[in-house]
Amino acid sequence: MDAIGYMDRAAALDDARAYKLRLLDALDVHRRHTVLDVGCGPGTDLLDLAATGAEWVIGIDADPLMVAEARRRTEEYPAVAVHPGDARRMPVADKMVDRARVDRVLHYVPDPENVFAELRRVVKDDGVVVVAQPDWDTITVDPGDVRTNRKVREFVCDHVVTNATVGRRVVRLAEDAGFTVDLRITTPVLRDFATADDILGLSRNAERAVRAGQLDADEAAEWLHDLQRERFLAAFMLFTAVLRPGTR
């Protein structure tokens, strides 16, 4: 799968654009602010952050391919810098950042509590952090056999996604790190099978489950056939949170 193309397609969905605008509004970026995009990917959102008038926009990502693409996309923007970096050990000085965003990153991280600890370290005491994180264990589809849907979802949570249920843990992890949290939960809905198949990986994850011996091939084929021949719906829970450093 083309990871860069996948991220661009996911960001272009109506629900994605809507929550990204909410995150941008919640950041409330002002001139002279330094803004950090943790797990910036191919730079999908860096230009929107630069357009806020921030003095400095920093993107970090652990994937060298993503860093290279983000640098290519922002090379004409002197206020944007992209660096390789682990979200658990950010290449950013203490109290350097006024605003930070973490968008659909935490499910890649085996120990996300360290990400929140790092955010607390690098964000100023009057700073703001926004987090958006889907919970992969909440994905549901209709039509299709419910038991097969459950098997595919459990396979994804156990074998495909590093931290599938981190969305529901965002509040606790952030509060443990010393933030106050304003949480919003939404349920994006996809009505087109082809789009959902691309974004949620229904076919490719069913095929992975079959190869792993976790799902019968005929069962998987019937499930995918049912999803494509009827009116389709897929939904999942998206946790978005605005974090502010609390008093220690």
Side-chain angles (χ1 to χ4, degrees), residues 84-97:
D86 189 322
R88 298 165 298 178
R89 294 180 296 276
M90 299 180 194
V92 179
D94 293 358
K95 307 298 182 187
M96 177 180 175
V97 174

Side-chain angles (χ1 to χ4, degrees), residues 6 22-23 29 35 44 48 54 56 66 71 74 91 100 102 136 142 147 164 172 182 190 208 218 230 235 246:
Y6 169 83
R22 290 199 303 270
L23 294 183
V29 179
V35 183
T44 307
D48 286 339
W56 196 245
M66 295 295 177
R71 284 176 171 171
T74 60
V102 187
W136 288 80
D142 182 76
R147 291 169 298 178
R172 175 162 53 86
D182 180 10
L190 303 172
R208 287 169 173 166
D218 291 339
E230 302 286 349

Side-chain angles (χ1 to χ4, degrees), residues 34-38 58-60 90 92 97 99-101 119 122:
T34 295
V35 183
L36 174 66
D37 190 4
V38 180
I58 303 169
I60 63 170
M90 299 180 194
V92 179
V97 174
R99 302 289 189 265
R101 69 189 297 277
L119 288 166
V122 304

Side-chain angles (χ1 to χ4, degrees), residues 35-245:
V35 183
L36 174 66
D37 190 4
V38 180
C40 66
T44 307
D45 302 298
L46 290 176
L47 298 186
D48 286 339
L49 293 172
T52 62
E55 182 172 11
W56 196 245
V57 176
I58 303 169
I60 63 170
D61 202 282
D63 186 337
L65 291 177
M66 295 295 177
V67 171
E69 177 63 14
R71 284 176 171 171
R72 185 191 69 79
R73 295 183 181 187
T74 60
E75 61 186 357
E76 296 182 3
Y77 294 80
V80 178
V82 182
H83 303 287
D86 189 322
R88 298 165 298 178
R89 294 180 296 276
M90 299 180 194
V92 179
D94 293 358
K95 307 298 182 187
M96 177 180 175
V97 174
D98 299 281
R99 302 289 189 265
R101 69 189 297 277
V102 187
D103 185 2
R104 295 170 299 138
V105 171
L106 298 172
H107 57 275
Y108 295 115
V109 183
D111 43 5
E113 63 276 7
N114 290 337
V115 178
F116 288 95
E118 277 290 87
L119 288 166
R120 187 64 180 88
R121 177 183 68 81
V122 304
V123 173
K124 296 177 181 178
D125 290 336
D126 60 350
V128 176
V129 180
V130 294
V131 177
Q133 181 58 51
D135 192 305
W136 288 80
D137 194 38
T138 65
I139 294 175
T140 188
V141 298
D142 182 76
D145 182 71
V146 172
R147 291 169 298 178
T148 305
N149 176 60
R150 187 177 298 121
K151 288 180 183 179
V152 174
R153 184 176 66 238
E154 289 178 352
F155 177 79
V156 170
C157 292
D158 293 342
H159 300 287
V160 177
V161 180
T162 301
N163 214 323
T165 60
V166 69
R168 69 191 69 173
R169 297 165 53 204
V170 162
V171 171
R172 175 162 53 86
L173 292 170
E175 289 178 343
D176 286 349
F179 291 99
T180 62
V181 183
D182 180 10
L183 178 69
R184 177 174 180 176
I185 303 173
T186 56
T187 306
V189 175
L190 303 172
R191 297 301 308 272
D192 175 65
F193 171 78
T195 300
D197 196 32
D198 182 27
I199 301 304
L200 302 178
L202 303 175
S203 294
R204 61 180 176 269
N205 288 323
E207 292 166 3
R208 287 169 173 166
V210 170
R211 290 197 301 269
Q214 301 295 312
L215 186 65
D216 179 77
D218 291 339
E219 185 181 10
E222 181 178 359
W223 180 66
L224 291 168
H225 178 69
D226 288 345
L227 293 182
Q228 296 176 69
R229 72 179 182 181
E230 302 286 349
R231 290 186 298 274
F232 176 82
L233 181 146
F236 58 93
M237 294 176 68
L238 177 68
F239 293 76
T240 57
V242 180
L243 317 181
R244 291 180 172 84

